[in-house]
Short mmCIF file of all heavy atoms in Angstrom, two decimals:
data_model
loop_
_atom_site.label_atom_id
_atom_site.label_comp_id
_atom_site.label_asym_id
_atom_site.label_seq_id
_atom_site.Cartn_x
_atom_site.Cartn_y
_atom_site.Cartn_z
N CYS U 432 -24.37 -0.99 42.21
CA CYS U 432 -23.96 -2.34 41.80
C CYS U 432 -25.15 -3.12 41.23
O CYS U 432 -26.12 -3.38 41.93
CB CYS U 432 -23.37 -3.10 42.97
SG CYS U 432 -22.90 -4.78 42.49
N PRO U 433 -25.08 -3.53 39.98
CA PRO U 433 -26.19 -4.26 39.37
C PRO U 433 -26.31 -5.68 39.93
O PRO U 433 -27.33 -6.32 39.73
CB PRO U 433 -25.84 -4.29 37.89
CG PRO U 433 -24.37 -4.15 37.84
CD PRO U 433 -24.00 -3.30 39.01
N MET U 434 -25.28 -6.14 40.62
CA MET U 434 -25.35 -7.47 41.22
C MET U 434 -25.72 -7.39 42.69
O MET U 434 -25.68 -8.40 43.40
CB MET U 434 -24.01 -8.20 41.06
CG MET U 434 -23.58 -8.43 39.62
SD MET U 434 -24.81 -9.33 38.65
CE MET U 434 -24.67 -10.96 39.37
N LEU U 436 -24.16 -6.19 45.22
CA LEU U 436 -23.08 -6.54 46.15
C LEU U 436 -22.77 -5.32 47.02
O LEU U 436 -23.39 -4.29 46.90
CB LEU U 436 -21.83 -6.96 45.37
CG LEU U 436 -22.03 -8.08 44.36
CD1 LEU U 436 -20.72 -8.38 43.65
CD2 LEU U 436 -22.56 -9.33 45.02
N PRO U 438 -19.70 -3.37 47.18
CA PRO U 438 -18.34 -3.19 46.66
C PRO U 438 -17.39 -2.52 47.63
O PRO U 438 -16.23 -2.93 47.74
CB PRO U 438 -18.55 -2.33 45.41
CG PRO U 438 -19.98 -2.49 45.07
CD PRO U 438 -20.70 -2.74 46.35
N CYS U 461 -19.36 -10.74 41.24
CA CYS U 461 -19.05 -9.47 40.57
C CYS U 461 -18.84 -9.72 39.08
O CYS U 461 -18.18 -10.66 38.68
CB CYS U 461 -17.78 -8.86 41.19
SG CYS U 461 -17.15 -7.46 40.26
N ILE U 462 -19.45 -8.87 38.27
CA ILE U 462 -19.29 -9.01 36.82
C ILE U 462 -18.29 -8.00 36.28
O ILE U 462 -18.17 -7.82 35.08
CB ILE U 462 -20.64 -8.87 36.09
CG1 ILE U 462 -21.30 -7.53 36.42
CG2 ILE U 462 -21.57 -10.02 36.43
CD1 ILE U 462 -22.52 -7.23 35.56
N GLU U 463 -17.60 -7.31 37.16
CA GLU U 463 -16.55 -6.35 36.79
C GLU U 463 -17.07 -5.25 35.86
O GLU U 463 -16.37 -4.78 34.98
CB GLU U 463 -15.36 -7.08 36.16
CG GLU U 463 -14.71 -8.05 37.14
CD GLU U 463 -13.63 -8.91 36.50
OE1 GLU U 463 -13.11 -8.54 35.45
OE2 GLU U 463 -13.34 -9.96 37.09
N CYS U 464 -18.31 -4.85 36.08
CA CYS U 464 -18.91 -3.89 35.17
C CYS U 464 -18.37 -2.47 35.39
O CYS U 464 -18.45 -1.62 34.53
CB CYS U 464 -20.42 -3.88 35.35
SG CYS U 464 -20.92 -3.22 36.93
N GLY U 465 -17.85 -2.20 36.58
CA GLY U 465 -17.26 -0.89 36.82
C GLY U 465 -18.22 0.16 37.33
O GLY U 465 -17.82 1.29 37.58
N SER U 466 -19.49 -0.18 37.51
CA SER U 466 -20.45 0.83 37.98
C SER U 466 -20.04 1.39 39.33
O SER U 466 -20.19 2.59 39.59
CB SER U 466 -21.84 0.20 38.11
OG SER U 466 -22.23 -0.36 36.91
N CYS U 467 -19.53 0.53 40.20
CA CYS U 467 -19.18 0.97 41.55
C CYS U 467 -18.05 1.99 41.51
O CYS U 467 -18.15 3.05 42.11
CB CYS U 467 -18.80 -0.23 42.42
SG CYS U 467 -17.58 -1.32 41.66
N VAL U 478 -12.85 -1.87 40.97
CA VAL U 478 -12.83 -3.02 40.06
C VAL U 478 -11.50 -3.75 40.15
O VAL U 478 -11.45 -4.99 40.13
CB VAL U 478 -13.11 -2.56 38.62
CG1 VAL U 478 -12.98 -3.71 37.65
CG2 VAL U 478 -14.50 -1.96 38.53
N MET U 481 -11.79 -5.92 43.02
CA MET U 481 -12.65 -7.08 42.75
C MET U 481 -11.90 -8.12 41.93
O MET U 481 -11.98 -9.31 42.19
CB MET U 481 -13.90 -6.67 41.96
CG MET U 481 -14.79 -5.67 42.65
SD MET U 481 -15.39 -6.29 44.20
CE MET U 481 -15.50 -4.77 45.05
S1 SF4 X 2267 -18.96 -4.90 42.44
FE1 SF4 X 2267 -18.66 -5.79 40.44
S2 SF4 X 2267 -20.73 -6.09 39.68
FE2 SF4 X 2267 -20.88 -4.65 41.37
S3 SF4 X 2267 -20.75 -2.65 40.41
FE3 SF4 X 2267 -18.68 -3.20 41.00
S4 SF4 X 2267 -17.82 -4.15 39.18
FE4 SF4 X 2267 -20.04 -4.12 38.89
#
Side-chain angles (χ1 to χ4, degrees):
Chain U
C432 179
M434 299 304 289
L436 306 179
C461 170
I462 57 171
E463 298 173 20
C464 68
S466 304
C467 50
V478 175
M481 299 300 148

